Structure formats: structure tokens, C-alpha cells
Amino acid sequence: MDHELDQALDSVGPRLRALRRQRETTLTDLSATTGISVSTLSRLETGDRRPTLELLLPLAKAHGVSLDELVDAPPTGDPRVHLRPVTNNGMTMIPLTRRAGGIQAFKMVLPGGGVRSEPDPQTHEGYEWLYVLNGRLRVVLGEHDLVLGPGEAAEFDTRVPHWFGTADQESVEILSLFGRQGERAHLRARPKARRTSGDSDQESG
């Protein structure tokens, strides 16, 4: 399976070039849309640069395709659901949405036990929301260096230099929502708490 996933990632470059040419878009135009440098885009298309999640998300948005369509990873899991996990640099990502437009949802699993990578903050167009399911997640966001535990969330503009990874030797499971710039999740306000008789007495007093 790892070999098949490697083959899928190796085919991303030619697919990116074909999509760009179909849209009659130059590398300069695509760079302006995604915030990715022209040199990086060129290296991705030629296969000299390994595609990462930080690069693939804005490119999928720009080309109007879903991430699994861009990667064309082999289907696994329940065939009725057609989950297509992608493994890159040890991280496994499972797309939870199928549409090309709108906010994209993913489940990510970051492995533990190995040598932790040093933060390498990146920037690109978009807005991201992270929610920790299990484990401890280290998030570097601009000048902030945070550790999130299960049930904690972070949201940020991805034009701010950012990076996330495991905070210790344990694996981490997170949910991620990603939208293009200006497109944010609509969160409903929590219902107002009912006033108790004690509250009423205090207010009347």
C-alpha cells in the first residue's frame, strides 16, 4: 500500500501541470492565487519537489478539484464510503469531504515514537481550524508556540507562518477544516444558560 501511495504522490506533478494548462493559467498567476512561489510550483510540476499537505490544499482549491482527485490515491476502507487516505512524511490524512469547493474537512494522524521534526512554518492563502481528538499537538503560529490536548481547538489565518506536529513521543489524531481566504466555518452560538431562582433573587436584590 505504501508503494501505491508513493506512486500516487509521484504522479501529482504531471497532474498539476495538466490542470494548469487546461485552465490556461501561468505559474505566475497560480503563484498569486495560492501564495506559493513560482519556483516551488515549477519544482512540484517537474517532480523535483515532494508534494506536502501545505502545498496541495491551496493547489486543489485553485484548480477546483478535491484533494483525493488531485492525488488520485488508491481507495481503501469501506468501499461504500471510498475513503482515500494519503500518507506523506509519516502523516496519514483522510479526506472527509468530497466537493471541490467550500470548506474541506480532514482527519489527520501524526505518528509518534520517532524523531520529532523541527518546526518549519509555512504560509499560504486560506483559513484553518484544528481540533485535537487524541494526543498532544504542538502548534507554532507566528510568535506563539502552543500545545493543545484532546478537546482543544485552534483557528488561524494561514497567511500567518504556521506549523504543527506531535508535542511528545505519542501519536496525535486531529480534525482539520480548511477554507480559502475569507471562508470560515460558521459556528453557532451556545444557548444562553437558564437563570436560576438564586440569580433572579440576586438581580431583584
Side-chain angles (χ1 to χ4, degrees):
M1 183 58 68
D2 289 341
H3 177 66
E4 292 177 345
L5 289 172
D6 286 338
Q7 285 185 323
L9 289 175
D10 289 340
S11 68
V12 168
R15 190 171 295 109
L16 286 172
R17 184 186 298 110
L19 287 169
R20 181 174 59 81
R21 290 177 175 175
Q22 287 174 7
R23 292 166 54 88
E24 298 183 350
T25 302
T26 66
L27 288 173
T28 301
D29 292 337
L30 189 58
S31 175
T33 300
T34 61
I36 302 172
S37 69
V38 172
S39 61
T40 298
L41 291 172
S42 177
R43 290 168 60 199
L44 282 172
E45 290 190 359
T46 59
D48 293 334
R49 173 72 181 263
R50 189 74 164 173
T52 64
L53 175 64
E54 295 288 344
L55 297 173
L56 292 178
L57 284 172
L59 285 170
K61 283 285 187 182
H63 290 307
V65 298
S66 63
L67 188 65
D68 56 345
E69 289 172 329
L70 181 61
V71 177
D72 195 26
T76 63
D78 186 341
R80 295 169 299 176
V81 180
H82 298 295
L83 297 177
R84 292 186 175 187
V86 176
T87 300
N88 188 23
N89 293 329
M91 179 178 69
T92 299
M93 180 179 61
I94 304 173
L96 302 178
T97 50
R98 301 283 302 173
R99 59 183 183 148
I103 292 178
Q104 302 288 311
F106 307 91
K107 179 179 179 181
M108 302 180 189
V109 181
L110 287 65
V115 178
R116 289 189 295 162
S117 58
E118 289 298 316
D120 181 22
Q122 304 289 328
T123 63
H124 55 84
E125 291 291 323
Y127 201 87
E128 190 161 3
W129 183 86
L130 301 175
Y131 179 85
V132 181
L133 296 170
N134 291 296
R136 299 171 71 243
L137 181 73
R138 182 183 178 190
V139 179
V140 176
L141 179 61
E143 298 178 353
H144 303 284
D145 194 335
L146 311 170
V147 174
L148 305 181
E152 293 187 303
E155 59 176 335
F156 51 90
D157 188 321
T158 53
R159 291 177 299 180
V160 177
H162 61 281
W163 173 93
F164 58 85
T166 57
D168 48 38
Q169 293 297 309
E170 301 299 321
S171 62
V172 182
E173 295 183 21
I174 62 176
L175 292 178
S176 170
L177 297 180
F178 177 83
R180 60 191 174 192
Q181 187 56 40
E183 187 175 40
R184 298 173 59 173
H186 297 288
L187 303 179
R188 297 186 62 181
R190 68 179 63 180
K192 293 182 179 180
R194 291 183 178 180
R195 292 193 306 173
T196 64
S197 57
D199 292 335
S200 300
D201 293 342
Q202 277 189 332
E203 290 179 4
S204 59

